[in-house]
């Protein structure tokens, strides 16, 4: 930012020192062109003066003689009098022209110093225009104004930084106060929460499990306050608890997650809970216990459960089959609500695979009735 600001200040100073004026370039170009051709201009003016008044056949002398002759006969006819007036008027005009030519010629002088100054000034303007990719002094002036606005914005930003730093300190103090309060509430809630989760874990077939919510206070704020929170778990007696991700198998993690979700849903206003294959790694008797816990949760809210386990599929109130259907070269995902008979067939497939028979249908029917 400092380098950028210094550069902008340099650009502004350069443009400001140039003392730019609109239309200046056009006037300079005209004056340089005039001074460059001074000798030709003076020579031509001299010849004009000679032709009009100085030579033997000068136009002014001829017009004066014509005026004198017409004046002698102007009394005899009105149209001659009018002609005489016109000759006299032209004589007066030509006299004025001769005077102006002479005066102008006297004023014109070749000034090499002035010509050099103007050329240097034009070189400066041309150089600035090329440097800033513009084609006129007016655009250079616009550039100077834009640079000044940007410099002003930087100054305003520096003031804003000081204001924001003060505001940030206030917010940090406020956040720390809230984080301390949140820490105390977490400590207070953790024991009850871990006991509720542990009860569900025991119901899901792990009677010797230990589950601990460990909360350690840190000095630095993070997205969760000032707490570092870990779930610690052990599935067996005599085995110390360790971080969940290191101490639990895939099936155990599925049951623990279900326990956590079940417990938290009792303390939240959740009209619907979605379980997407939360039963991974579970089978046999454990699948029945998981299904029972889901059934219990469904008494208070709607559960949408995606599963491949027949024990869980048989527990639901409604059964939908998700499948792919090929139409031409494109596959479409379809969802179909199964009738009672279709549900028996689908659960039989889940139990026995593609080769299912009457025994599988009977087992599926019994599973649903249970």
């Amino acid at each position: 930012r400092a380098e950028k600001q210094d550069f902008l200040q340099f650009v502004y100073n350069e443009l400001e020192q140039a003392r730019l004026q609109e239309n200046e370039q056009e006037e300079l170009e005209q004056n340089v062109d005039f001074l460059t051709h001074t000798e030709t201009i003076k020579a031509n003016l001299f010849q004009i003066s000679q032709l009009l008044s100085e030579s033997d056949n000068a136009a002014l002398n001829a017009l004066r003689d014509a005026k004198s002759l017409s004046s002698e006969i102007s009394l005899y006819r009105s149209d001659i009098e009018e002609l005489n007036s016109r000759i006299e008027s032209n004589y007066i005009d030509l006299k004025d022209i001769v005077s102006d030519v002479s005066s102008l010629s006297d004023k014109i002088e070749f000034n090499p110093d002035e010509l050099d100054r103007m050329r240097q000034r034009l070189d400066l303007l041309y150089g600035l225009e090329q440097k800033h990719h513009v084609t006129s002094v007016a655009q250079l002036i616009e550039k100077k104004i834009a640079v000044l606005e940007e410099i002003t914005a930087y100054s305003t930003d520096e003031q804003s930084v000081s204001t924001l730093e003060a505001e940030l300190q206030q917010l940090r103090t406020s956040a720390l106060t809230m984080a301390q309060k949140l820490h105390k509430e977490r400590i207070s809630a953790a024991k009850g929460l871990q006991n509720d989760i542990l009860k569900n874990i025991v119901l899901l077939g792990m009677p010797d499990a230990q589950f601990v919510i460990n909360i350690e206070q840190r000095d630095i704020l993070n997205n969760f306050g000032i707490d570092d929170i870990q779930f610690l778990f052990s599935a067996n007696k005599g085995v110390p608890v360790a971080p969940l991700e290191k101490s639990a198998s895939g099936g155990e993690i599925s049951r623990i997650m279900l326990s956590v979700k079940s417990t938290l849903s009792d303390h939240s206003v959740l009209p619907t809970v979605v379980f997407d294959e939360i039963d991974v790694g579970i089978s046999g008797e454990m699948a029945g216990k998981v299904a029972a816990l889901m059934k219990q949760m469904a008494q208070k809210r709607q559960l949408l459960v995606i599963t491949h386990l027949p024990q869980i599929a048989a527990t639901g109130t409604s059964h939908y089959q998700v499948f792919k259907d090929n139409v031409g070269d494109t596959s479409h995902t379809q969802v179909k609500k199964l009738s009672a008979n279709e549900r028996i067939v689908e659960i039989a497939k889940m139990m026995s695979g593609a080769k299912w028979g009457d025994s599988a249908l009977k087992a599926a029917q019994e599973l649903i009735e249970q």
Side-chain angles (χ1 to χ4, degrees):
R1 283 175 60 89
E3 289 178 358
K4 175 72 172 176
Q5 198 168 359
D6 288 344
F7 172 73
L8 290 171
Q9 192 64 54
F10 168 79
V11 171
Y12 176 79
N13 291 342
E14 186 179 48
L15 293 171
E16 178 66 14
Q17 290 167 6
R19 297 183 181 180
L20 303 167
Q21 299 176 17
E22 288 209 37
N23 303 320
E24 177 188 16
Q25 181 175 328
E26 293 78 2
E27 293 177 5
L28 283 170
E29 289 171 342
Q30 290 176 2
N31 290 334
V32 166
D33 196 36
F34 179 82
L35 286 176
T36 303
H37 298 87
T38 300
E39 293 183 3
T40 302
I41 295 169
K42 283 186 72 73
N44 286 5
L45 287 173
F46 176 77
Q47 288 186 5
I48 291 170
S49 178
Q50 290 293 312
L51 290 170
L52 293 180
S53 64
E54 301 297 334
S55 65
D56 294 336
N57 298 319
L60 187 61
N61 295 333
L63 196 57
R64 183 181 62 242
D65 293 342
K67 180 177 78 72
S68 177
L69 294 171
S70 66
S71 177
E72 291 180 6
I73 59 174
S74 62
L75 297 175
Y76 302 112
R77 280 186 61 159
S78 58
D79 53 353
I80 296 177
E81 184 178 2
E82 182 183 351
L83 181 63
N84 178 63
S85 297
R86 290 170 60 192
I87 292 173
E88 187 171 0
S89 176
N90 279 295
Y91 175 74
I92 293 170
D93 285 345
L94 189 58
K95 243 182 121 176
D96 288 342
I97 289 173
V98 170
S99 176
D100 289 344
V101 168
S102 178
S103 176
L104 183 59
S105 180
D106 291 339
K107 290 179 181 178
I108 295 175
E109 292 183 6
F110 176 66
N111 189 336
D113 293 336
E114 182 66 10
L115 179 60
D116 186 57
R117 184 195 68 80
M118 289 183 178
R119 283 174 171 166
Q120 288 181 8
R121 179 66 177 171
L122 278 176
D123 287 342
L124 173 65
L125 297 180
Y126 292 151
L128 289 173
E129 288 172 2
Q130 184 176 13
K131 182 177 183 178
H132 296 288
H133 308 289
V134 298
T135 57
S136 68
V137 174
Q139 291 176 323
L140 282 176
I141 294 173
E142 291 177 2
K143 174 73 175 180
K144 184 182 76 169
I145 294 171
V147 170
L148 181 59
E149 290 176 351
E150 197 168 352
I151 292 171
T152 304
Y154 270 103
S155 300
T156 304
D157 285 348
E158 288 175 357
Q159 296 173 0
S160 298
V161 167
S162 299
T163 303
L164 289 171
E165 284 177 343
E167 184 180 350
L168 178 61
Q169 186 56 44
Q170 291 178 352
L171 290 172
R172 184 180 287 110
T173 301
S174 177
L176 283 169
T177 301
M178 288 188 286
Q180 291 285 356
K181 181 181 178 183
L182 184 59
H183 173 75
K184 292 177 182 178
E185 292 181 355
R186 280 176 172 150
I187 294 294
S188 175
K191 188 170 183 179
L193 180 60
Q194 72 184 25
N195 289 338
D196 290 342
I197 293 173
L198 187 57
K199 288 178 184 177
N200 284 328
I201 292 175
V202 171
L203 288 175
L204 292 176
M206 292 184 281
D208 298 322
Q210 302 173 67
F211 182 82
V212 177
I213 300 176
N214 185 52
I215 303 174
E216 292 187 12
Q217 186 172 338
R218 301 298 185 190
D219 296 329
I220 301 175
L221 278 167
N222 58 44
N223 291 345
F224 304 101
I226 51 174
D227 294 327
D228 184 7
I229 304 172
Q230 277 191 317
F231 286 176
L232 306 178
F233 174 74
S234 171
N236 304 301
K237 278 185 178 180
V239 178
V241 293
L244 179 63
E245 65 274 14
K246 297 179 179 179
S247 59
S249 64
E252 288 169 343
I253 287 179
S254 294
R255 283 181 277 173
I256 292 168
M257 285 304 301
L258 179 59
S259 301
V260 170
K261 293 284 186 182
S262 174
T263 303
L264 293 182
S265 65
D266 289 337
H267 297 279
S268 306
V269 182
L270 295 173
T272 302
V273 176
V274 180
F275 288 143
D276 185 0
E277 298 192 31
I278 199 170
D279 49 28
V280 170
I282 296 173
S283 60
E285 182 183 358
M286 283 303 106
K289 293 183 178 182
V290 168
L293 182 57
M294 289 184 179
K295 188 73 174 179
Q296 179 182 330
M297 289 179 64
Q299 303 307 309
K300 298 180 180 179
R301 63 195 52 78
Q302 181 187 50
L303 252 62
L304 297 179
V305 181
I306 300 168
T307 184
H308 293 286
L309 293 181
Q311 294 93 328
I312 294 176
T315 308
T317 305
S318 300
H319 191 152
Y320 293 83
Q321 181 188 17
V322 182
F323 60 96
K324 289 190 181 294
D325 186 22
N326 294 328
V327 179
D329 295 331
T330 307
S331 295
H332 296 273
T333 300
Q334 306 286 351
V335 180
K336 176 185 178 183
K337 184 176 182 180
L338 302 180
S339 66
N341 289 332
E342 288 173 331
R343 185 182 189 189
I344 294 171
V345 172
E346 188 62 30
I347 292 176
K349 291 180 182 178
M350 296 170 92
M351 297 173 72
S352 302
K355 296 181 179 179
W356 52 274
D358 291 341
S359 59
L361 288 173
K362 184 177 180 181
Q365 177 69 46
E366 291 176 355
L367 187 60
I368 292 171
E369 291 174 355
Q370 289 173 6

